[in-house]
Amino acid sequence: MIIAPSLLAADYGNFARDSIKAQRAGGEWLHLDIMDGHFVPNISFGPATVKALRSLTRLFFDVHLMCSKPEVLLESFSKAGADQMTVHVELGTRVEPLLWKIRSLGKKVGLAVNPPTNIASVQPYLDKIDLLLVMTVNPGFGGQPFIEETLPKIQQAAVWRRERRLNYRIQVDGGITFNTAAECARVGADTFVSGTGLFGQPRMKTAVAKMRKIVEEVRTASSGA
Ligand code: DX5
Ligand code: ZN
C-alpha cells in the first residue's frame, strides 16, 4: 500500500517545509494537484512549483492533472520532476494519445475517473495504465466529504484487475480519513491520497502510521477471508 499526502492541504506559504514534512511523516508519494480553472473551478500551482520542490525530497511525485488540455503540460511537468502523471477519462477521445505521451516521456501512467462518470469508461485503457484513480469527491477543492457511492466503482476496478490479471494500482482521492481509507481498502483500494486527513492532524507522522495500520489490518483480514 501507498500513502500519498496531498500538498493541496499544506500551507501555501510553506510548500517546501510541508513537502519535507510529508516525507518525514512516512508518506511514500507526494500527491500534487494541478488545477487549471477550467476543468475544475479552481487554480492551484504549476510546473515551476513542482520543480522547486523536486530537489528537497526523495518522495515519488504523483501529479494529478485536473486540466482541460494536459497535452500542453505533460512535457513541462515531466521536466519539472513528475514521476507519474494522471489524466482524466472525461477527456474522451484524447485519453489514448495522452496515455501514450506520458509513457513515451518515461513516466508512470495514471487515469482518473470522476464520481459522476461511469466506471465502464475506463475499461478500454486498463492494460495501458499503472494506476487507476477513482475520485471519491468531485475534484476542485480539498476538505470535501467522501462520496460513499464511489465504493462500488472501486470494487469493480478490483474485480477487473483480478479477472484480467492486470496490476494497476487502485488509488482513491478526496475525503480520505482513517474511516474512509478503511472502507476503500475493504473493497480493493491500495493507494490513498489524503490532504486534510493528514495535514490537518496535530502530528502528521502519527496520522500516517495510524492510517497505514488501519489499512493493513483491513487488507490482511480481507485476504484471509
Ligand atoms: C481534489 C483533489 C484532491 C485533494 C484531496 O480535487 O484531487 O487530491 O487534495 O483533499 P482532501 O484529502 O482534503 O479531501
Ligand atoms: Zn488529487
Side-chain angles (χ1 to χ4, degrees), residues 52-86:
L53 300 175
R54 182 63 287 181
S55 59
L56 302 176
T57 153
R58 295 181 305 278
L59 290 172
F60 179 97
F61 275 10
D62 171 28
V63 174
H64 176 194
L65 293 160
M66 287 159 275
C67 304
S68 296
K69 280 195 180 178
E71 5 330 61
V72 301
L73 297 167
L74 295 176
E75 291 215 21
S76 308
F77 280 106
S78 171
K79 284 197 191 120
D83 293 298
Q84 171 169 271
M85 290 184 277
T86 297

Side-chain angles (χ1 to χ4, degrees), residues 110-133:
L111 182 63
V113 55
N114 279 340
T117 306
N118 196 313
I119 190 69
S121 62
V122 304
Q123 243 188 328
Y125 310 109
L126 294 177
D127 58 351
K128 299 174 180 69
I129 59 175
D130 299 300
L131 172 135
L132 179 66
L133 165 51

Side-chain angles (χ1 to χ4, degrees), residues 113-164:
V113 55
N114 279 340
T117 306
N118 196 313
I119 190 69
S121 62
V122 304
Q123 243 188 328
Y125 310 109
L126 294 177
D127 58 351
K128 299 174 180 69
I129 59 175
D130 299 300
L131 172 135
L132 179 66
L133 165 51
V134 180
M135 288 303 300
T136 46
V137 298
N138 286 305
F141 301 91
Q144 304 181 73
F146 180 83
I147 301 175
E148 297 282 338
E149 290 75 12
T150 58
L151 287 167
K153 296 170 75 177
I154 301 164
Q155 191 159 28
Q156 180 64 69
V159 168
W160 284 331
R161 181 170 63 178
R162 207 169 40 244
E163 284 176 356
R164 294 178 57 179

